[in-house]
Structures are given as structure tokens and as C-alpha cells.
Amino acid sequence: MDSCEQAEKQGAQQTAGMSSDDDEEFEEVPPCQADAAAEDSDDSVPELGTVELTVGEGSEPAKKRRAVVTRRARMLRRSHHMVELICQQVAVQVMSHKCNTPEVQARSLSLIPAMVVERIGEHQVPGKREIRRDWASADLHCFLSAFQALKIQHQRQHQRQEPAADEFSRFVERRTATRAWHQPMLLVSMLRVLAFDARLCVGLSPPALKLTVQESEAIERSCQSGAGLGPCAQPLPSKAAAKAKKPGPQWGRDAVPQYWCEVFNQVSEQWMPINAYSGTIERATQLARAGRGSACAFAYILAVDGAGHVRDVTRRYSRDFVNTTQRQRLEGVSEREDPRAAAWWAQWLERWAAPAASPRAQQEEAELARRTQRSTMPRRLADFAHNPYYVLQRNLAQNEVIYPAEPIVGTVRGEHVFLRANVQRLRSRMAWMRMGRSIAADAQPIRTVRQRAATARARQAMDAEAAAGREPLVALFGEWQTQQIRPPPVVDGRVPRNDFGRVDLFTPAMLPPGAAHVHDPGAARVCADLGIDCAPAVTGFDFRRGVSTPVFDGVVVPLESADVIADALQARRHEAAAQERADREQRAVRRWRRLLVALRVRAEVDATFATRSARTEQASAKGGLL
């Protein structure tokens, strides 16, 4: 047995020393081992060994995933941003409505000196609640002087003990402001009772749309725990934030006001902002600035008139609306991230806009548009990426080009600045054809880019090009290199077709001369019955699951046969309606017949069984008497 064990050890060592690259060798089994294996029965189960895996010290641990701002966090922050806007807007509308109540206006009128009321009353237009144009400016300054003489005290109230309406009424009575909006509301109420066109303005700063990684993680934690977007969604305070504790919102003569008033000046036909805390007329771009280098302290500034109509006047107060303020608003969200965010705010304000655009409103909108167009050129290279007026060469997409290249409006850090209005989009031949344009014969491609496979057939073509050693490329052309497609006309009642027997009608201009487009889906059958030539009209393509399917919309027929086909279609519609009416009547008759037969059978069954039951009862009654 010792020789057998020695042979087994030698065989194991030989097997361990073999490599996969060596030639195949047969191991010799010792006779003793063969005899021992033969003695085993067929029912014996071989003993299984233990497999051990050893990880080398050189293996690297798995890399930790880098934390990023999640898509759900951005979506929830945008929703929070929108809800804050809606709530604060409604609150300002309630404040403006409070200024129009008879009780508040009566108390506001009692605070104005009698001589000022009499003077302004003499200058009002007879039969109208407005001041004469030649006296409007002088009367306004006279009123502001009287308003500045009012001694209004400021007293902060940390806990609300009574409703906001009672707070404002008590403020008008005692002239002690406990809220930031009390003094502006009093000014608006006084101006409106004196027949001035005044609006209550408010600056809104909803939660920032740009999230940090810490804020995103906090929102995700709150969503997983079901706590909502309350205090749990706020990120943990850092050490730097704990050291630099910023004071709360200030309001007074020297602070940036969140509420103020606008009065329409009939002389200059412009809205003038009035600081309610100082009672002075100020410049719009200086009123809402948080500091010397700040463009605007608020992302949104709303103005509410006496009727409750709301207008966004941020462009009037922002010193650099396009480059700074707009990036903090919903308009600054890219279309790739959310295509509906930029248009949501404009659509929401349309619900609260004036029903009819008056000349004054049109003039104000033109003024705001001019202020936006006069926006200064960005000073940082990163601001050119989303600027609607200026662009750099580096900000162009792969399918964009500047044409014409002139004028060069400026230079920033050695890079030329161009007008964004001169940015042209490049497209392929097929894309231009689907827009009803063809490439000129002598046109050279502006740019050649790598082709993208939108369908399975295009992917196969790209694979064939790659197998042949050629890179699949596609040529791009500009609009100035194209011309309108002019299809051949209809000749002898025959509609011109493409290679597939159809008519490409991506735009109305692609309709062949002497042809008409019939949109009715049953026009092809009518043309076949009347023997009129027609061709299916392809108006586009539908891409689904890697397959391009043409979209059909009626047929193209000769123009002289269009009236005949229209009459035939109308007759067929009448026939179809009559047939449908007849079928409906037949179905009603069949159902009535079935109902009447069922009622007759039921009556016969009831009569038969009722007679039998009556006889049975009579017989049983007689038997009981006997």
C-alpha cells in the first residue's frame, strides 16, 4: 500500500505541474489503484473535494460611484419653484384686492391732508376717475410730500396672533407697521383713492433651480423616507455656512424693498416706481439692486393692478436680465432638460393678464422688449452659451454655422463675437427634401459629419461601409445652397410619381402643377371606380422600433377631376349615411320582434301554469273539507 500512496503523490505532482500550453499526455494509473477502483461497487458515490478561490493582493477594489444631481431631484425642485411662484402671486393679488375695499380706502383717505384732497379733486377729469394730464405730475409730488410727513413706525412681530386682514386694518389705524407689506399697501390704497393708476409690485425669489449634490442627496433621502419636500429636504449645514450666518430679510429706508408701488405718469407715459418706505420716486434699475455688482435682487418681479391683472415687469428692474436674471428663472432651463419649463410661466401669466390689450399695455410691452434688446454683451465666455443675441464660434453645435460671417460685433478674450441671428442650421439632402427644398447642382457640402443610424436599414448600410474600410459620413448643406423643389406638372391626366409610385408631399409647395390634393381616405376607391388617375400622397415618415414607415394622407389627382371626385365622395357619404340609417332601423326592428316574442311566450307560460296552480289549489281545498 505504501507504493500505491507514493504513486498517487507523484501523479498529483505531475498534474499540478502541467500547463494548458503543454501537449496532451496520458497519465499512467498504478495497478494497485486500478484494483482498488474495481473493488468498488457501482452504487458507490465519488467523494467531492473542496474548491478554494484565492483573490490576489493586486486586485483593485470597486470604484465608488460619483455622486451626481439626479433627474428626480431636478424635477422636484422645478415643481417646488413653480408652486412657490403660484402661492406668492396669489398672496399679492389678495393684498391688492385688500387695498380696494371701502373700509381701507376710507381710512386711507382720512390720513391724507384735506388741502391735498381738494387740490387733486379740482384737477380731476369731469365724469372720470383720472387726473388731468397737465396736473398729474405736480399733484403726485404734492401727495408724496404729504405721505412723507406721515410718521409711520416699524415694529417687528415674530409670531402672528391675528389674521393678515386685521393686521393691516390695525396698521392703518395706529400707523405702526408690523409687516413688510403694510406700508406699500397703504401707499397703493391712498393713490387709488385719489384716482391715480397705481400697481402693487413684489419681488419674488423662489428656490433656486440649480441644485448642488448635497441638496440632491437630501431630496432623495426625503423621498425615500416619505417626508416630502419639507425641512428634511434641506441639505445639512456645512461649517462654512454655520460661520457665515446671513441676517434675515431687511425692510426699511436703507434696505432693498421687496414690496413697492408703481404709478403711471401720463406726461411721459411710463410707469414710475415709488419706494413706499421713503416716499420717493426712484430709478427702476436702482430700486431692486442688492449691491453695486448685482443685476437684480429678485428672479421675478410682478405688478398687480386694481382689477387683479398680473404682469411680469422683471425686465424693467433688472440691470442685466439676459445674462444674469434670466438664468435664475424657468426660461433658463434648457429645452433638452425640460421643453415645457420655459413656456409654462408665460402660459400661466396669460390667465391673469388683461382681457384686451390696451394701447398702454402694448406700449409697455414694447418698452420691455427694447430694454431686453439693449442688454449688454456678456463679459464671461460661459454666458455666451445661452445668450439669445450673441454667440461665439465655440458655442456652435455640430450642425450649425455662422452665415454670413459678418458683422463681428466684438471680441472677448481674443474670440470674435457674432450675432446669433446669423446662426444657420445645416441639414442633409434627405432632411432638406423633407422640407421641400433640393440642393443646387454646384453646391459643395459645408461640413461632413459621421452618419447616425435611425433605422435598421441605415444601420446595415453603415455596417457595410465600415466592413469595406470606409467611414460612414453624411454631407451637410446650408439653406442658401438649396432651392425650392419644383415637381413636373400633370400631363394628359397622369400624375407624376416617384420610384415607389407615390407623390412626395412634405410641404404644400411640392404639389405638382395642375394637380389637387384630396385628403379623404376613400378617394382612392372613388378614383378607381371612375377611372381617374391618382397617386398616394406621402406627407412624412413615422420612425418606430428602427423602421421608417411612410405616412399617407389622401391622394393626388388631376385638377380638372377634383370637382368630380368631390361630388362622388359626397354622394358616397350620403349613401353610407342612408345605409347606416337603414341598418340601424333593421337592428331596432329585430330587437323589438325579439322582445315581443319573449313577452308573448312569457304570457303564455304564466297563463298555463297559473291555471294549473289554481286547479291544484281548488282540489286541495275540496280534499281538506272532506
Side-chain angles (χ1 to χ4, degrees), residues 262-392:
E262 276 188 351
V263 180
F264 186 75
N265 188 353
Q266 298 183 8
V267 179
S268 61
E269 296 185 351
Q270 291 181 352
W271 290 93
M272 299 185 306
I274 301 178
N275 191 341
Y277 304 106
S278 61
T280 58
I281 301 175
E282 299 187 9
R283 294 181 58 182
T285 55
Q286 298 291 338
L287 181 62
R289 291 184 64 185
R292 184 175 181 181
S294 172
C296 184
F298 309 101
Y300 302 85
I301 297 178
L302 303 181
V304 184
D305 59 9
H309 301 144
V310 183
R311 176 177 285 273
D312 189 350
V313 293
T314 315
R315 291 173 288 179
R316 177 182 297 127
Y317 293 90
S318 178
R319 191 177 184 88
D320 193 4
F321 177 79
V322 176
N323 301 322
T324 305
T325 308
Q326 190 174 13
R327 300 178 63 181
Q328 306 172 7
R329 297 160 53 99
L330 290 170
E331 293 92 326
V333 180
S334 62
E335 295 185 0
R336 181 180 302 177
E337 183 177 351
D338 190 352
R340 297 175 296 178
W344 176 84
W345 180 239
Q347 294 174 0
W348 171 258
L349 288 181
E350 287 181 359
R351 305 181 181 183
W352 309 99
S358 60
R360 180 185 298 181
Q362 295 177 0
Q363 183 179 358
E364 182 181 11
E365 185 62 29
E367 176 196 354
L368 297 178
R370 286 194 302 268
R371 286 179 175 270
T372 307
Q373 293 177 358
R374 290 198 303 264
S375 179
T376 58
M377 185 181 299
R379 298 180 181 179
R380 300 186 307 170
L381 296 179
D383 295 339
F384 283 93
H386 304 286
N387 192 284
Y389 303 107
Y390 306 103
V391 66
L392 299 177

Side-chain angles (χ1 to χ4, degrees), residues 386-610:
H386 304 286
N387 192 284
Y389 303 107
Y390 306 103
V391 66
L392 299 177
Q393 190 74 27
R394 63 164 65 186
N395 301 132
L396 298 179
Q398 190 179 23
N399 60 338
E400 291 180 343
V401 68
I402 298 176
Y403 183 85
E406 299 291 339
I408 300 176
V409 295
T411 304
V412 176
R413 295 186 181 180
E415 297 190 25
H416 296 307
V417 181
F418 302 91
L419 295 176
R420 189 170 286 274
N422 294 341
V423 176
Q424 303 288 341
R425 190 172 183 180
L426 304 179
R427 293 180 174 86
S428 61
R429 290 181 181 270
M430 183 60 64
W432 282 119
M433 189 195 70
R434 291 174 183 173
M435 297 180 65
R437 306 189 69 85
S438 61
I439 307 300
D442 57 344
Q444 297 296 328
I446 302 298
R447 191 170 299 168
T448 304
V449 298
R450 183 178 176 81
Q451 185 179 3
R452 293 183 179 180
T455 60
R457 183 177 301 178
R459 192 176 297 108
Q460 293 176 1
M462 289 179 57
D463 295 341
E465 291 286 336
R470 296 186 299 268
E471 186 179 3
L473 301 176
V474 60
L476 302 181
F477 301 87
E479 186 176 3
W480 66 93
Q481 296 177 299
T482 63
Q483 56 188 1
Q484 192 71 35
I485 293 180
R486 296 177 181 176
V490 177
V491 180
D492 297 334
R494 299 287 299 177
V495 178
R497 297 169 170 81
N498 57 12
D499 298 339
F500 300 95
R502 307 161 184 168
V503 177
D504 295 330
L505 200 60
F506 304 118
T507 61
M510 298 180 68
L511 185 67
H517 185 197
V518 182
H519 299 273
D520 197 293
R525 182 175 298 179
V526 172
C527 293
D529 296 341
L530 298 178
I532 299 176
D533 182 61
C534 67
V538 180
T539 57
F541 289 91
D542 188 12
F543 296 90
R544 290 184 181 180
R545 298 180 180 179
V547 179
S548 175
T549 306
V551 178
F552 297 97
D553 183 14
V555 295
V556 177
V557 299
L559 184 60
E560 59 271 10
S561 305
D563 296 338
V564 178
I565 296 174
D567 296 340
L569 288 173
Q570 186 69 16
R572 289 212 170 191
R573 281 192 288 268
H574 287 306
E575 293 177 2
Q579 185 65 30
E580 178 64 24
R581 187 165 50 253
D583 295 344
R584 187 166 59 251
E585 292 177 357
Q586 291 180 4
R587 290 194 298 270
V589 170
R590 286 196 299 268
R591 292 170 181 172
W592 276 108
R593 183 183 292 110
R594 186 184 304 171
L595 176 62
L596 294 177
V597 170
L599 293 176
R600 186 183 63 183
V601 172
R602 181 175 181 179
E604 292 178 358
V605 171
D606 291 345
T608 302
F609 284 96

Side-chain angles (χ1 to χ4, degrees), residues 162-233:
E162 54 186 350
D166 298 339
E167 282 185 1
F168 182 68
S169 301
R170 189 176 298 275
F171 158 69
V172 175
E173 180 180 356
R174 298 182 178 179
R175 282 180 285 180
T176 302
T178 58
R179 300 292 179 182
W181 54 81
H182 285 169
Q183 199 162 340
M185 288 177 62
L186 176 62
L187 177 61
V188 171
S189 178
M190 288 181 171
L191 289 171
R192 289 177 181 175
V193 78
L194 293 177
F196 284 99
D197 193 357
R199 299 192 302 196
L200 179 62
C201 297
V202 58
L204 307 180
S205 296
L209 293 170
K210 189 175 181 180
L211 283 172
T212 61
V213 177
Q214 292 78 8
E215 292 175 340
S216 176
E217 293 176 351
I219 293 176
E220 290 293 337
R221 286 195 302 269
S222 64
C223 292
Q224 294 176 1
S225 62
L229 295 180
C232 297

